[in-house]
Amino acid sequence: MNNNNSTQEILHHYTDADEASRLRAGWFQLEHARTQELILRHLPSAPATIVDAGGGAGAYACWLAGRGYKVHLIDPVPKHVEQARAASARQSGHPLASAEVGDARQLAHADASADAVLMLGPLYHLVEREDRLSALREAYRVLRPGSLVWAAGISRFASLFDSLAHGFFADPVFAPILARDLEDGQHRNPTSNPIYFTDAFFHRPGELSRELLAAGFQVVEMAAIEGPGWLACDFDRLWSDPAQRERLLAAVRKVEHEPSVLGVSSHVMAIGRKR
Ligand SMILES: C[S@@+](CC[C@H](N)C(=O)[O-])C[C@H]1O[C@@H](n2cnc3c(N)ncnc32)[C@H](O)[C@@H]1O
């Protein structure tokens, strides 16, 4: 698939799917909380400059701007950039430093100008390894030596677990999509149903860490974002009970680095340091 086709697929998908509200629903709340936790685990203190490449509607960028960071968001979907600008305008006193249409493979930022890069989306949307490496090399270029990239991947096995836990394993339309996911990680959705996502690449955890290494990074942490928590059949009940939410988060933390469990997570976070 060429890049133009991929970009068209992405634009089409996000016309229907609402990124601005996604992280407030169901198990995405676990993704949100755990992603924030994994970012704060290593982030230098504010003020520092952050590039959020593939920042979507600004969920993490605006949160970090609110904590005193100078955050530049880029995303190829104009709707997302508009949503991020609107969210930024709502947090008076802590706006984003910038929000622009752009591509993680070609950042406008100067060499060694960022203290952190978030790449929470581009690596699963870029279906070709060379494109993913281009994005990671751009992150490497704009980072100051010693600073970090947070790179999220979708697990190779996410659609198997998702379909089993959330009731669409038997859908004959989904069967060939799942078969190819398991075969080579190339996710293709020929339907117009946005719940089956868009064209994407699903990593084995080891593939994700090897891509960071190939781009020059030292891998400092590989962590399951949701671990098995996203598969809880009573997720909403657990999450709305403060004590059960804490138990769930504690259980996810307990297995976050367990190699045999990494691929059960919907998303895996690879954190890499520029040498
Ligand atoms: C599922 S959203 C995630 C948004 C946000 N980072 C988050 O974690 O909630 C994936 C994002 O990656 C963006 N994206 C896709 N391809 C990209 C590329 N080549 N460069 C930068 N962003 C890209 C999409 O437009 C979308 O906003």
Side-chain angles (χ1 to χ4, degrees), residues 255-275:
V255 298
E256 66 181 354
H257 298 135
E258 170 59 45
S260 59
V261 176
L262 270 185
V264 172
S265 190
S266 177
H267 296 85
V268 176
M269 185 77 85
I271 303 172
R273 186 185 308 282
K274 178 169 178 172
R275 293 170 198 274

Side-chain angles (χ1 to χ4, degrees), residues 172-253:
V173 169
F174 189 68
I177 300 177
L178 174 60
R180 178 139 188 221
D181 290 351
L182 295 176
E183 185 62 32
D184 62 6
Q186 293 291 349
H187 182 81
R188 297 290 180 276
N189 176 9
T191 78
S192 54
N193 186 348
I195 77 151
Y196 293 156
F197 203 39
T198 182
D199 293 356
F201 178 71
F202 294 169
H203 287 84
R204 288 195 168 90
E207 286 172 322
L208 181 58
S209 56
R210 283 193 293 279
E211 288 181 4
L212 264 74
L213 291 170
F217 287 100
Q218 173 195 0
V219 176
V220 298
E221 183 169 3
M222 291 289 294
I225 295 183
E226 305 88 352
W230 69 300
L231 301 169
C233 64
D234 53 350
F235 181 86
D236 287 334
R237 190 178 61 78
L238 295 176
W239 196 253
S240 60
D241 175 334
Q244 294 303 334
R245 181 191 296 195
E246 273 318 305
R247 283 190 64 230
L248 179 63
L249 284 166
V252 168
R253 268 177 220 124

Side-chain angles (χ1 to χ4, degrees), residues 49 51 106-117 137-145 147 274:
T49 298
V51 174
Q106 198 169 12
L107 297 174
H109 308 85
D111 296 1
S113 59
D115 302 297
V117 172
R137 288 188 189 115
E138 274 294 86
Y140 198 90
R141 180 184 66 74
V142 306
L143 281 168
R144 295 187 217 284
S147 49
K274 178 169 178 172

Side-chain angles (χ1 to χ4, degrees), residues 14 19 22-23 54 56 60 75-77 80 103-104 120 122 124-125:
Y14 287 111
E19 264 307 294
R22 182 179 67 88
L23 293 171
Y60 299 106
D75 200 280
V77 177
H80 290 171
D103 191 304
L120 311 174
Y124 46 80
H125 279 297

